[in-house]
C-alpha cells in the first residue's frame, strides 16, 4: 500500500497538511454527509435543511435535524483514523489539520490545532447576532431563543450559501500553498472552497495523496492514491513516520 517513495516523502516533509471530510468519521458511525438521510430524515435533502432560508421557513424542523445529528455525534467515538492524525501531528515539524466536518471528533481525538471550515455542530450561535451562545433559558420553545436579543438560536455550522469563517479559511489556503505533502482524506472534493485546497497545493508543488475508497475529482492530480478506509490507511502512514 505505501510505496518506498511515499514513505520517503512523508519522512522528509517539513510541513504536512491533512484535509478531512465526512469519510474519516464514517468508521465512527457518523453517516457521510450525503448518505446521512436515513430513517426519519430520508424525506429531506440536506440542501433543503442546511440553509438560512430553510431555517427561517422551518426553524423547528432544522433545529430538530441538527439535534438528531448532535445526538448521533455525541454517541460517536473518534476512530483509528482520527487518532493516527494526532500521532502524525506529533511526528512532523509542521502539521496543519483542516476539516469540513462539524462533528468535533478531531478535537476529541486529541488534535491540537484544527481548522474547522464548516463550524462545529456541538456549538450554538444566535441567528441574529452570529455570536456563540453557551447558555440559554429553556422555555420549552424549539428552537430556543438568545438570552441577549431573543433571536432564534441555531447550530454553529456553515450553511449552504453562507461564508466560511474567514480566519480559518485564510490559514487553510496559506498552509495548502506552503506544504510539502497534502493528504486529502475522506472527502468527495465536491464542495468549494474546501475542494480547491488540494488543487492549490498541487499548483504550489506539493505531493498530493488521496485516501478514499472511491475516486474523486482530485484522483487524476494525486501522485499517490490510497484506495481504502481512512481508519486502516492512516495508521500505516503514522507508523511509517514514527519508525523513521
Ligand atoms: P461526502 O459525503 O460528500 O463525501 C464523503 C467521502 O468519504 C466520499 O468520497 C466517500 O467515498 C469517502 N469515504 C466513505 N467512507 C470512507 C472511509 N471509511 N474512509 C475514507 N473515506 C471514506 O462528505 P464531504 O466530502 O465531507 O458541507 O462533504 C463536504 C461537504 O458537503 C460537507 O462538509 C457539507 C456538505 O455540503 C456543508 O454542510 C457546508
Amino acid at each position: 500500500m505505501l510505496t518506498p517513495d511515499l514513505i520517503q516523502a512523508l519522512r522528509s516533509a517539513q510541513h504536512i497538511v491533512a484535509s478531512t471530510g465526512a469519510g474519516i468519521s464514517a468508521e465512527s458511525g457518523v453517516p457521510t454527509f450525503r448518505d446521512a438521510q436515513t430513517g426519519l430524515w430520508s424525506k429531506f435533502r440536506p440542501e433543503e435543511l442546511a440553509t438560512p432560508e430553510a431555517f427561517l421557513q422551518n426553524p423547528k424542523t432544522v433545529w430538530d435535524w441538527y439535534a438528531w445529528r448532535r445526538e448521533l455525534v455525541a454517541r460517536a467515538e473518534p476512530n483509528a483514523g482520527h487518532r493516527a492524525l494526532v500521532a502524525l501531528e506529533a511526528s512532523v515539524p509542521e502539521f496543519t489539520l483542516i476539516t469540513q466536518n462539524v462533528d468535533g471528533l478531531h478535537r476529541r481525538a486529541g488534535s491540537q490545532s484544527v481548522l474547522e471550515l464548516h463550524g462545529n455542530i456541538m456549538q450554538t450561535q444566535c441567528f441574529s447576532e452570529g455570536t456563540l451562545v453557551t447558555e440559554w433559558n429553556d422555555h420549552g420553545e424549539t428552537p430556543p431563543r438568545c438570552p441577549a436579543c431573543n433571536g432564534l438560536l441555531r447550530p454553529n455550522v456553515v450553511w449552504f450559501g453562507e461564508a466560511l469563517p474567514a480566519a480559518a479559511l485564510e490559514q487553510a489556503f496559506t498552509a495548502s500553498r506552503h506544504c510539502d505533502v497534502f493528504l486529502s482524506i475522506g472527502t468527495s472534493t465536491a464542495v468549494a472552497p474546501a475542494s480547491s485546497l488540494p488543487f492549490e497545493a498541487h499548483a504550489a508543488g506539493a505531493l498530493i495523496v488521496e485516501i478514499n475508497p472511491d475516486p474523486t475529482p482530485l484522483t487524476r492530480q494525486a501522485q499517490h492514491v490510497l484506495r481504502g478506509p481512512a481508519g486502516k490507511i492512516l495508521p500505516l502512514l503514522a507508523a511509517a513516520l514514527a519508525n523513521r
Side-chain angles (χ1 to χ4, degrees), residues 1-16 91-93 180-181 207 209 224 236-237 239-244:
M1 174 66 84
L2 302 192
T3 55
D5 57 332
L6 173 56
I7 291 173
Q8 181 48 40
L10 290 167
R11 287 178 176 170
S12 54
Q14 288 305 303
H15 183 181
I16 293 181
S91 51
V92 177
D180 304 301
V181 177
L207 186 82
V209 183
H224 296 275
L236 300 176
L237 292 188
L241 271 167
N243 309 326
R244 53 173 125 196

Side-chain angles (χ1 to χ4, degrees), residues 143-231:
R145 290 196 171 266
C146 172
C149 75
N150 204 41
L152 293 173
L153 294 184
R154 55 167 283 181
N156 181 37
V157 298
V158 175
W159 280 334
F160 288 100
E162 290 187 320
L164 276 64
L169 189 59
E170 192 186 334
Q171 288 173 56
F173 272 100
T174 302
S176 301
R177 290 174 181 140
H178 294 88
C179 64
D180 304 301
V181 177
F182 188 103
L183 308 174
S184 181
I185 306 159
T187 176
S188 57
T189 318
V191 175
S195 55
S196 56
L197 294 171
F199 296 95
E200 291 286 331
H202 184 265
L207 186 82
I208 307 300
V209 183
E210 180 173 72
I211 297 164
N212 193 321
D214 298 331
T216 77
L218 179 67
T219 304
R220 273 169 11 92
Q221 247 86 357
Q223 287 95 332
H224 296 275
V225 176
L226 307 179
R227 282 277 168 264

